[in-house]
Amino acid sequence: MHKGRRWIVLGRVLALVAAIIAGLAWALSSPVGASPDDDFHQASIWCPVPVESSGCPVRTDATGAVQAVEVPRVVAEAAACFAFHNEISGSCTLHIPSGMTWTDRFNQGEYPGGFYRTMHLFAGPDVQRSVALMRAANVLIAVALLGSLALVAAPGQRRMLGLGLLAPLVPLGIFLSASINPSGWSFVGVATAAAGLLVGADAPSRRRAIAAGALAVVGALLAINARGDAGPYLCVTAAAVGLATLRWNGRWLLTRGPAVVLVGAIGLFSYLTSRQAALISETQQAVVDKPTRLFYHNVLELPNLFTGMFGSWALGWTDNPMPQVVSVSSLAVAILVVVVGVSSLNVGKAAALLLVTAVMVVLPVLLLLRLGASVGSWVQPRYLLPLAPVFLLLLAYDPRRRASIRLSLAQCVLAGTLASVAYTVGLYTTLRRYLTGLDGPLIIGRGVEWWWGSVPGPRVVFVAGTLCFTIVAFTLLLGEGTVIRRVLRRPALADRSGTPAAAVAGSSAGAEAPVRQPTAEADPEPAPAEPARGD
């Protein structure tokens, strides 16, 4: 294998392993019951629909409808012992008595059953171990989909993935993806669908286009098996990507277009058949004294929901507030993508962005008006989070280059640094909240009250996760070869005597070799090659 190629392969392997470790660090950062509504989701996993055949004892009413299911006591009661009280550590979950109890909080068709049935495969008598395995499985699913997409993408497209995914990933996206909340699958699935369609639209070969389209379809199927509202999001995603990438030629229509249509069809089918997706239209109109005033208030306060996607809202049961440096750093990455991305607008990209923006604005405003509620209640940022990577991926896409927007080396380093800061502080705060409570020691590892058994300590998990996420962020933004050479390799192309290889080659040819001076605005990655005519 060529030496340069060897470094690239090593970089890709390192990045994939680092992504797994970075996700597992978040999976281990909180105890059983830490993600929102975990008592409901855990009971739904142990007793998936149809509950009558799940193996769980059930209680029914006079009509035969199931009213309660019997689950391990930890499944039903773990969250209640610390939720909404960030001064209480996760140690209370370790003292819940063994045995079984009845709960009426479980899925009875409100959510699709695919997520719960898949997680049920890991359910066992040891609840702590089972939940850890479920979280690890979800991390592996996320890395498998998004990592495969990064490998399929052409070099000039990989930075687009980084710019579109890093900001919504930290802290809320990675917290959900490494949990047993179905919103994690919805986020990963819709993001994979959007990224796969964008990568496939401009793939340099038919094989890559088919692979990217297949990953987009898998992501769509993952999303609709988790949440019913993923269906409408997929319809919006397919329409927006279609507007941004549509080209009226046979090659695009035959090899790229079918994936867009299929993702949209999957989303439409889910919307028409899902009970959860229909809740908006079925929700009873609340009586509002001053609807105009409520509408005005919600429109002006709507950015609160948007910034919440980037960490301004507390994680977990809204009891794990993130320091401002987390949300500011994550939001700054998103703003950078917006500022640079609007410089490459054309009609298709502008129409796509307007479509996604309209949905992100109109949907929560109308739902809150129907509920008679104001921003801050009922509708949470995690419900809108799947659209954030769609919006940012479209901004990071340059339709003229058919690749990522151009960024200077300094801009890439700034984005990678800010995302790493958000990850580091977010993980540190989450660990501290559950290890000792936020009123405990500032330094994690001191006075530990809760931790998993048979895993490395919290300090090791924190350091490993932070370093690995930094590697992933800079690999996506700069390219695997660049990161490997700068992190692991000696000064490039120097022989043992210290003479640059270019000078040695020049002298052997009898002429001085030209030296290309790098520029500050040089684009670290080339755009993908134009597809061959036979593609």
Side-chain angles (χ1 to χ4, degrees):
M1 182 183 296
H2 188 271
K3 190 174 184 180
R5 178 66 179 171
R6 190 164 61 243
W7 284 115
I8 291 176
V9 172
L10 177 61
R12 291 175 180 175
V13 173
L14 176 64
L16 289 174
V17 174
I20 294 173
I21 295 174
L24 290 177
W26 275 88
L28 295 173
S29 66
S30 58
V32 172
S35 61
D37 298 320
D38 248 5
D39 57 335
F40 176 92
H41 298 305
Q42 288 175 170
S44 303
I45 289 171
W46 257 260
C47 304
V49 290
V51 292
E52 296 85 352
S53 59
S54 65
C56 294
V58 299
R59 283 179 177 171
T60 59
D61 60 14
T63 64
V66 178
Q67 297 297 304
V69 294
E70 191 177 37
V71 296
R73 189 174 295 274
V74 176
V75 166
E77 299 179 0
C81 75
F82 61 76
F84 309 116
H85 297 280
N86 56 30
E87 75 281 2
I88 300 177
S89 71
S91 61
C92 62
T93 62
L94 304 177
H95 305 296
I96 296 175
S98 59
M100 307 294 285
T101 190
W102 294 94
T103 179
D104 59 358
R105 281 180 53 79
F106 64 98
N107 180 39
Q108 300 187 62
E110 303 95 324
Y111 286 76
F115 173 83
Y116 297 124
R117 285 192 290 270
T118 302
M119 294 297 102
H120 182 71
L121 299 175
F122 302 96
D126 187 337
V127 175
Q128 303 278 344
R129 181 176 181 274
S130 299
V131 170
L133 289 175
M134 294 172 197
R135 292 180 180 181
N138 287 330
V139 170
L140 292 176
I141 290 172
V143 173
L145 284 176
L146 296 174
S148 297
L149 197 54
L151 295 177
V152 169
Q157 296 174 316
R158 293 192 188 109
R159 187 184 304 119
M160 177 179 67
L161 302 181
L163 294 173
L165 296 175
L166 287 178
L169 190 63
V170 286
L172 182 56
I174 196 168
F175 174 77
L176 293 174
S177 301
S179 73
I180 57 171
N181 191 298
S183 294
W185 270 25
S186 179
F187 169 75
V188 172
V190 175
T192 302
L197 294 179
L198 281 170
V199 168
D202 297 308
S205 68
R206 182 184 289 108
R207 184 172 59 181
R208 289 197 184 206
I210 292 174
L215 287 169
V217 171
V218 172
L221 293 173
L222 185 80
I224 65 170
N225 274 281
R227 291 185 62 95
D229 54 10
Y233 292 161
L234 290 169
C235 293
V236 173
T237 298
V241 174
L243 287 171
T245 62
L246 178 62
R247 295 176 190 92
W248 295 105
N249 60 66
R251 182 171 60 245
W252 192 95
L253 293 174
L254 292 176
T255 61
R256 273 71 169 174
V260 176
V261 174
L262 187 53
V263 168
I266 292 172
L268 182 61
F269 173 80
S270 174
Y271 173 73
L272 295 175
T273 59
S274 173
R275 177 179 171 185
Q276 187 185 35
L279 288 179
I280 295 177
S281 59
E282 293 177 357
T283 301
Q284 184 177 0
Q285 177 72 52
V287 178
V288 182
D289 293 335
K290 298 179 179 180
T292 303
R293 184 178 295 273
L294 178 63
F295 176 82
Y296 175 79
H297 170 80
N298 284 339
V299 169
L300 294 186
E301 293 296 321
L302 194 60
N304 186 16
L305 284 177
F306 299 153
T307 58
M309 301 181 202
F310 304 100
S312 68
W313 279 43
L315 302 184
W317 293 77
T318 65
D319 58 4
N320 182 21
M322 293 288 101
Q324 286 297 305
V325 69
V326 176
S327 58
V328 169
S329 298
S330 183
L331 189 59
V333 177
I335 292 174
L336 172 64
V337 178
V338 172
V339 171
V340 180
V342 295
S343 64
S344 62
L345 287 179
N346 65 0
V347 175
K349 179 175 175 178
L353 290 171
L354 285 175
L355 173 62
V356 179
T357 302
V359 173
M360 294 177 71
V361 171
V362 172
L363 180 63
V365 169
L366 288 183
L367 182 56
L368 287 169
L369 189 62
R370 178 179 288 273
L371 294 168
S374 57
V375 170
S377 61
W378 289 99
V379 180
Q380 298 183 25
R382 63 189 171 99
Y383 301 152
L384 297 174
L385 182 66
L387 288 177
V390 179
F391 183 75
L392 292 176
L393 282 165
L394 288 168
L395 278 164
Y397 173 69
D398 187 341
R400 297 181 182 88
R401 299 178 65 230
R402 301 188 182 183
S404 172
I405 53 178
R406 289 185 180 274
L407 270 77
S408 68
L409 179 61
Q411 289 172 321
C412 290
V413 171
L414 176 62
T417 302
L418 289 171
S420 299
V421 168
Y423 176 98
T424 301
V425 180
L427 178 61
Y428 190 94
T429 303
T430 302
L431 282 166
R432 181 168 167 259
R433 184 262 176 271
Y434 294 109
L435 288 171
T436 61
L438 292 181
D439 61 345
L442 287 175
I443 300 177
I444 61 172
R446 292 183 179 177
V448 172
E449 300 172 10
W450 162 84
W451 190 239
W452 303 90
S454 305
V455 299
R459 290 180 180 175
V460 175
V461 169
F462 168 70
V463 173
T466 297
L467 290 177
C468 288
F469 181 84
T470 302
I471 290 173
V472 173
F474 280 92
T475 298
L476 284 173
L477 296 174
L478 297 178
E480 60 275 3
T482 302
V483 173
I484 283 291
R485 286 194 299 270
R486 298 195 178 199
V487 174
L488 301 178
R489 198 177 177 186
R490 294 180 299 175
L493 299 179
D495 65 5
R496 294 182 180 179
S497 65
T499 305
V504 174
S507 62
S508 64
E512 184 177 356
V515 178
R516 180 184 177 186
Q517 296 294 333
T519 61
E521 296 295 321
D523 193 359
E525 290 185 356
E530 184 71 18
R533 292 187 177 273
D535 184 17

